[in-house]
């Protein structure tokens, strides 16, 4: 679920019946971050949440999925 284009920064979605997991993505905004050289700069950032049905997925499994997502988004092709 992506509500970023509607200007929503952060939200928690509801898993639809029959699904095991939902990823929600908020708006991309420039936020202050500490850069690798220690300086502060503005960098595009967004909030991503993973909502999982723990009857089907363990929290550790969801952490791996979210880590892969962050890894891919951190270095987009």
């Amino acid at each position: 679920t992506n509500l970023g284009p509607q200007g929503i920064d952060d939200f928690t979605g509801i898993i639809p019946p029959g699904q095991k997991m939902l990823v929600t993505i908020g708006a991309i905004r420039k936020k202050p971050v500490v850069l690798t050289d220690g300086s502060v700069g503005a960098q595009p950032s967004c909030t991503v949440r993973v909502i999982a049905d723990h009857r089907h997925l363990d929290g550790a499994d969801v952490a791996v999925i979210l880590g892969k997502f962050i890894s891919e988004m951190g270095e987009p092709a």
Side-chain angles (χ1 to χ4, degrees), residues 2-73:
N2 181 0
L3 295 181
Q6 286 77 33
I8 305 299
D9 290 323
D10 188 12
F11 64 103
T12 300
I14 299 172
I15 302 171
Q19 299 295 311
K20 297 177 183 172
M21 182 174 73
L22 176 71
V23 176
T24 64
I25 303 172
I28 297 172
R29 307 236 190 252
K30 287 196 173 192
K31 296 181 182 176
V33 295
V34 178
L35 303 173
T36 55
D37 65 359
S39 65
V40 176
Q43 185 170 340
S45 180
C46 69
T47 300
V48 176
R49 290 184 188 260
V50 176
I51 300 93
D53 184 337
H54 282 266
R55 293 173 293 181
H56 301 282
L57 295 165
D58 184 73
D61 297 326
V62 175
V64 170
I65 293 167
L66 186 57
K68 287 182 181 180
F69 177 84
I70 291 169
S71 174
E72 290 294 322
M73 294 306 295

